[in-house]
Amino acid sequence: MYQRTTVTRGFNIDDNKVYGPCALLPPAILQWNVGGHEDISEESVSLFHLLEPRIEMLILGTGSRTERINPKVLALLKKKGIAVEVQDTANACATFNFMMSEGRLVAAGLIPPSVSKALEVHEE
């Protein structure tokens, strides 16, 4: 029996291939040390509120679907004066691109959507 389940993808950002979660802090692209939306913590978002000039908005892409973020994380970012938009990753990428095209000070934390590649082969 051969079984393959979830495969993690990455991103193509300005012809740069980035695998796994990433932080977009224009002009930088960094690996973001989170495994999934449940790992987004006050510590993992600290890089976003330490930026100068300060960003207006942080867009969080939580994978294949929009997920709830820990309220403490949202409260911290609000206290720092940063608006947060939480979306599935595909929509988060579109929102990020749109806001960048408007010249807004924006950053993104993106978790790639997982693709189910469940396949079972039984030899008899």
Side-chain angles (χ1 to χ4, degrees), residues 39-101:
D39 298 323
I40 298 174
S41 65
E42 293 166 289
E43 182 181 352
S44 71
V45 298
S46 63
L47 67 128
F48 297 108
H49 64 77
L50 296 174
L51 296 173
E52 285 296 331
R54 175 151 294 160
I55 61 172
E56 303 171 35
M57 179 176 281
L58 172 60
I59 301 163
L60 295 173
T62 57
S64 299
R65 57 186 211 171
T66 303
E67 301 286 356
R68 290 181 50 92
I69 302 299
N70 184 327
K72 290 181 181 180
V73 173
L74 300 175
L76 170 69
L77 292 166
K78 182 178 180 179
K79 180 180 168 189
K80 300 287 184 178
I82 300 171
V84 180
E85 183 72 34
V86 181
Q87 301 176 329
D88 63 88
T89 299
N91 284 312
C93 290
T95 301
F96 177 81
N97 288 334
F98 176 75
M99 293 190 74
M100 286 294 295
S101 74

Side-chain angles (χ1 to χ4, degrees), residues 6-51:
T6 306
V7 176
T8 302
R9 291 184 173 184
F11 303 94
N12 185 356
I13 303 169
D14 291 333
D15 294 325
N16 296 299
K17 292 192 187 317
V18 179
Y19 295 98
C22 66
L24 300 180
L25 312 164
I29 304 166
L30 305 172
Q31 293 289 295
W32 192 28
N33 192 21
V34 297
H37 73 279
E38 62 281 345
D39 298 323
I40 298 174
S41 65
E42 293 166 289
E43 182 181 352
S44 71
V45 298
S46 63
L47 67 128
F48 297 108
H49 64 77
L50 296 174
L51 296 173

Side-chain angles (χ1 to χ4, degrees), residues 4 12 28 94 119:
R4 185 170 63 175
N12 185 356
L119 173 65

